[in-house]
């Protein structure tokens, strides 16, 4: 190797080493002040992975036995929105107690179900976005207008409320 080539290569190696050192994170000194919560002020809630699919009041809560989700009251035709981005995997009225129902697959872990609908506005294989109107509330399969909403984690019904308020992800 010629001396001029060796000088250039050595210079490039030194520049690369300096760049790597400059990009490293320097740990805080042990006497650095830490961030402490302010007494009496609640910490901000993390954003929810799921949003509430309808605006009405909750009229039945998850109990794991009789109710596998939430029942949300409303009026005939009120909007029902996708709780999270996903793909519609089922639009059906085959289960009488669920009436017209939509199931959205969000990922390999989570599904959401929207039941007792008056009208589905999506079809199977549609991609939906969080907050997109997917149906209208009704009373199919039940005695009053309401939305029955379920979150299923790996196929098992879980309490939707912690997912809607950011306590669970």
């Amino acid at each position: 190797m010629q001396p001029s080539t060796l000088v250039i290569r050595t210079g490039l190696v030194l520049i690369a080493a300096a760049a790597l050192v400059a990009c490293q994170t320097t740990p805080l000194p042990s006497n650095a002040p830490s961030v402490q919560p302010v007494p009496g002020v609640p910490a901000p809630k993390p954003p929810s992975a799921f949003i509430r699919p309808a605006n009405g009041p909750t009229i039945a809560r998850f109990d794991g036995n009789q109710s596998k989700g939430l029942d949300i009251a409303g009026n005939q035709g009120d909007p029902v929105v996708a709780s999270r981005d996903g793909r519609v995997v089922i639009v059906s009225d085959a289960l009488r107690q669920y009436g017209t129902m939509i199931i959205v697959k969000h990922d390999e872990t989570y599904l959401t179900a929207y039941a007792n609908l008056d009208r589905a506005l999506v079809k199977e294989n549609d991609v939906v976005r969080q907050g997109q109107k997917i149906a209208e509330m009704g009373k199919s399969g039940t005695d009053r207008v309401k939305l029955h909403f379920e979150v299923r984690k790996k196929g098992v019904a879980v309490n939707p409320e912690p997912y809607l308020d950011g306590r669970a992800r």
Side-chain angles (χ1 to χ4, degrees), residues 1-114:
M1 191 176 288
Q2 293 186 355
S4 62
T5 305
L6 183 58
V7 170
I8 292 171
R9 290 188 99 188
T10 304
L12 290 174
V13 169
L14 290 174
I15 290 169
L20 286 173
V21 169
C23 291
Q24 291 179 349
T25 305
T26 306
L28 289 174
S30 60
N31 63 350
S34 61
V35 177
Q36 298 295 322
V38 177
V41 176
K45 283 186 180 180
S48 300
F50 294 83
I51 63 170
R52 190 171 174 88
N55 288 328
T58 300
I59 55 174
R61 289 192 152 68
F62 175 88
D63 67 17
N65 296 311
Q66 293 291 97
S67 180
K68 302 285 186 186
L70 296 178
D71 286 349
I72 302 169
N75 297 306
Q76 189 83 17
D78 280 356
V80 175
V81 301
S83 187
R84 184 172 169 187
D85 292 355
R87 180 176 301 279
V88 177
V89 293
I90 293 175
V91 177
S92 175
D93 61 1
L95 297 174
R96 195 174 61 142
Q97 70 273 21
Y98 283 87
T100 301
M101 175 177 67
I102 296 172
I103 297 178
V104 176
K105 181 177 182 178
H106 304 288
D107 52 36
E108 294 306 312
T109 304
Y110 292 104
L111 300 170
T112 50
Y114 310 78

